[in-house]
Amino acid sequence: MQFIKQWQYMLLLCTGLFFALSSCDNDKTPEPDPLSITSINPTTAPLGGTITITGTSFEATPANNTVTFSGNAQAQVLTATPTQLVVTVPAGAQNGPITVRTTTTPTPVSSPSATPFERGLRPVVTVQGSISANTTWNPNNIYLLRGYVYVTNNAVLTIQPGTIIKGAGRDQDPEGQNRGGTLIVERGSRLEAAGTAQQPIVFTSSRPAGQRSFGDWGGIVLIGRAPANQGTNRVFEGGIRGNISTEAVANDNSGTLSYVRIEFPGIALSATPNSEINGLTMYQVGSGTTINNVQVSYSGDDAYEWFGGTVNCRNLISLRAFDDDFDTDWGYVGRVQSGVILRDPNVADQSGSCAFESDNFDPGEPATGPNVGLPLTQPIFTNVSAFGVSGTPSTAQTSNGSGAFRAAMHLRRNTAISIYNSVMAGWPEGLRLEGAATLANATAGRMDLAGITLANVVTTSTTAVRGAGNITNAQTQEYFLATARRNSVVASTDIATLLLNAQNFNLTAPNFLPGSGSPLLVVADAVTGGKLADPFFQPAPYRGAFGTTDWTAGWANFDPQNTNYDR
């Protein structure tokens, strides 16, 4: 009997062990996905271009992946994750499938036969260092900027209509300084980039469609000889070589930018203040320069920044900038007519993003420095449409940015900017007027803000227009809301009365033309005369950038993220 009990006990023990082992076997780590390629994007790219390969079980270390194009051409792997490889199309690449093998899976796998790779017809020409003789770029090539590229020695760089120029990322800086590709036109040299509405010139990211982002590369920097209120000890931002000039040639000519798009620029070089490159940066650019029909999209810093100078501009677009859209400093005194700003409501900078940020210089009060703050920053802007968010404006940090929206106009540090016949909608504040010297410029007429409609800012004018620093809200409102200035504040609940286009805030396919009967189109409500009598300004008797004609049509691109520039 005792023997039977022992036998039963052993049987139960063995059964328990069996189920325990079976259970452990069921908990085994699943086998990893096999190495595979599910897609390539784009399917057409030139030699030297980049493509993204999507799949499974790639190695996270680029060197552990071997990518081979038809023609037995091995590609350089720029970046790698387990599901994505970004590679350069190698010399000798032919049409056909692409294969990938890894150190853990040495047997190669091929890309889908339904979408074979096709080599683009335009080769990539790498540009680095200096351009010191007259040079022409044409649309038969794609040009890749690596690191800081200087146009120097009084050279002229001519870019023909339809040409594509790409900016390489930090990792391709030939000097190892971690600088994204940037085109810098030095004093005395010129950039002649005259595109057409049918064939705009495009500066864009070197990353493939779908992989682009803010600050993929540096941008364009123009440096001239026009006046500024800084001494020669003032260096350029972002580590650009050189200093401010005291030559003060008001009609200096840095060339032409016409029908030009600048996409995904604005790189931050470090966490140090003033170490960024803007989309289009203008240092002392003179009035002999032509700038019209320019679009800056997805800039990682400001879209446009004028540091002194006298250059006049027309038809400017700022799309989804990270920081400010129009930033004026250091005594800029040019004229700008017609500009449209469209913001991504989820993206703003840690400094607080504004449509207009205007300073004389920092510190600007009291006026000090080598030129006692002269010339004042005193540009004239007219016919600007600035659209922040279509919903309720908020000062909370944006979901994909590092900061929050601040004001449609932040005017401070002794600026004397003038803004006319404009509409600005969707900022937490409409106007922030900061500093006693700034208010003095306003009351003395050096600054002039007139014919401006602020909409969907806040529910009342009490906080839509405010003072800052040692200026009270009441002082700012007394100036801005004076009847003679013909400014207005439209509450959020009444924004429909403006008859904005239903597609006004569409981020990839906007239509900015106001509806028929919009109060923005009432001729009698547009201010005229005074500073607007300057011969540069064309008649535009309406508020905002658009009357009945869409000047962005044909050449602007509001969806550059998904545009294939390699065909």
Side-chain angles (χ1 to χ4, degrees):
M1 190 69 177
Q2 184 68 27
F3 172 81
I4 293 174
K5 288 182 179 180
Q6 289 177 345
W7 180 84
Q8 290 175 332
Y9 174 80
M10 292 298 294
L11 181 60
L12 289 171
L13 181 61
C14 290
T15 302
L17 286 171
F18 172 81
F19 282 110
L21 290 172
S22 299
S23 176
C24 290
D25 186 65
N26 290 337
D27 289 340
K28 284 198 321 183
T29 303
E31 292 292 326
D33 291 329
L35 181 66
S36 70
I37 301 176
T38 56
S39 66
I40 58 174
N41 180 36
T43 56
T44 300
L47 299 182
T50 56
I51 69 168
T52 299
I53 302 171
T54 302
T56 57
S57 294
F58 301 143
E59 297 281 355
T61 301
N64 291 344
N65 303 275
T66 301
V67 178
T68 306
F69 285 66
S70 291
N72 199 31
Q74 187 169 317
Q76 178 188 4
V77 181
L78 301 176
T79 62
T81 71
T83 59
Q84 200 167 81
L85 303 176
V86 177
V87 306
T88 301
V89 179
Q94 302 296 322
N95 295 348
I98 298 171
T99 63
V100 174
R101 58 184 174 85
T102 69
T103 54
T104 56
T105 307
T107 302
V109 297
S110 296
S111 57
S113 58
T115 54
F117 170 78
E118 294 184 12
R119 193 178 75 182
L121 299 178
R122 293 183 292 178
V124 174
V125 177
T126 298
V127 184
Q128 59 191 56
S130 295
I131 298 171
S132 56
N134 292 350
T135 302
T136 298
W137 293 351
N138 64 69
N140 296 324
N141 301 314
I142 292 174
Y143 297 86
L144 179 67
L145 304 172
R146 295 183 62 201
Y148 281 5
V149 176
Y150 290 91
V151 183
T152 187
N153 194 40
N154 298 322
V156 178
L157 172 61
T158 301
I159 304 178
Q160 295 179 349
T163 302
I164 305 295
I165 304 96
K166 295 185 177 183
R170 305 168 182 268
D171 57 337
Q172 296 189 54
D173 182 358
E175 296 183 352
Q177 297 296 310
N178 205 32
R179 292 168 172 166
T182 304
L183 185 63
I184 304 164
V185 183
E186 292 193 306
R187 194 174 292 119
S189 295
R190 300 202 319 270
L191 171 62
E192 295 293 345
T196 67
Q198 296 73 33
Q199 292 184 297
I201 294 166
V202 180
F203 290 80
T204 191
S205 169
S206 62
R207 295 181 180 272
Q211 301 297 314
R212 301 162 187 153
S213 188
F214 302 93
D216 276 348
W217 63 292
I220 299 176
V221 180
L222 303 180
I223 303 173
R225 296 190 176 99
N229 59 24
Q230 303 295 291
T232 56
N233 291 331
R234 174 71 78 165
V235 299
F236 302 128
E237 294 185 356
I240 295 170
R241 70 191 186 193
N243 300 64
I244 288 294
S245 167
T246 57
E247 293 178 74
V249 181
N251 65 346
D252 190 45
N253 183 4
S254 293
T256 301
L257 284 177
S258 182
Y259 293 105
V260 171
R261 301 202 303 260
I262 307 168
E263 302 168 350
F264 305 99
I267 199 166
L269 297 174
S270 71
T272 304
N274 300 324
S275 66
E276 306 89 358
I277 301 289
N278 304 292
L280 177 57
T281 304
M282 292 160 277
Y283 286 105
Q284 298 183 269
V285 177
S287 60
T289 309
T290 299
I291 296 180
N292 59 54
N293 296 293
V294 175
Q295 178 178 13
V296 176
S297 304
Y298 289 87
S299 177
D301 193 52
D302 297 335
Y304 302 84
E305 186 155 11
W306 294 263
F307 291 95
T310 56
V311 64
N312 302 318
C313 307
R314 195 185 312 278
N315 294 356
L316 304 182
I317 305 171
S318 175
L319 174 66
R320 303 174 82 162
F322 202 94
D323 195 4
D324 304 315
D325 298 282
F326 297 154
D327 195 339
T328 55
D329 307 274
W330 295 8
Y332 171 55
V333 296
R335 287 114 175 88
V336 179
Q337 183 172 24
S338 299
V340 62
I341 294 164
L342 181 61
R343 301 293 306 215
D344 185 333
N346 296 314
V347 177
D349 187 69
Q350 60 185 354
S351 63
S353 293
C354 305
F356 284 91
E357 183 176 271
S358 188
D359 311 86
N360 203 40
F361 60 85
D362 182 16
E365 297 193 18
T368 58
N371 298 317
V372 198
L374 299 175
L376 286 175
T377 298
Q378 202 168 1
I380 305 170
F381 285 77
T382 187
N383 298 108
V384 174
S385 295
F387 301 114
V389 302
S390 58
T392 303
S394 171
T395 57
Q397 179 172 323
T398 51
S399 59
N400 296 323
S402 58
F405 288 102
R406 174 171 287 162
M409 298 174 285
H410 187 189
L411 313 181
R412 60 184 181 176
R413 296 172 181 161
N414 201 20
T415 184
I417 189 173
S418 293
I419 305 172
Y420 298 109
N421 293 337
S422 296
V423 57
M424 306 178 199
W427 264 267
E429 300 169 6
L431 169 64
R432 175 181 284 214
L433 196 65
E434 183 174 339
T438 309
L439 179 61
N441 288 334
T443 55
R446 292 183 290 271
M447 172 189 288
D448 198 8
L449 305 176
I452 298 173
T453 297
L454 300 177
N456 190 26
V457 183
V458 285
T459 54
T460 68
S461 60
T462 305
T463 49
V465 179
R466 58 158 298 181
N470 53 358
I471 302 303
T472 66
N473 290 352
Q475 288 173 300
T476 305
Q477 291 158 20
E478 181 182 3
Y479 166 77
F480 186 79
L481 298 176
T483 303
R485 315 209 70 76
R486 297 160 68 181
N487 297 319
S488 61
V489 177
V490 178
S492 302
T493 52
D494 296 327
I495 192 172
T497 62
L498 295 180
L499 297 181
L500 297 178
N501 195 289
Q503 298 300 309
N504 196 99
F505 289 89
N506 187 317
L507 293 179
T508 57
N511 185 336
F512 299 115
L513 295 182
S516 176
S518 169
L520 300 174
L521 301 178
V522 175
V523 173
D525 287 345
V527 297
T528 57
K531 295 179 182 180
L532 289 178
D534 186 286
F536 171 78
F537 295 116
Q538 299 174 349
Y542 45 81
R543 296 192 181 193
F546 303 94
T548 57
T549 302
D550 183 2
W551 48 261
T552 73
W555 65 274
N557 183 4
F558 292 93
D559 191 18
Q561 180 63 264
N562 295 304
T563 303
N564 182 357
Y565 289 113
D566 292 324
R567 296 189 183 279

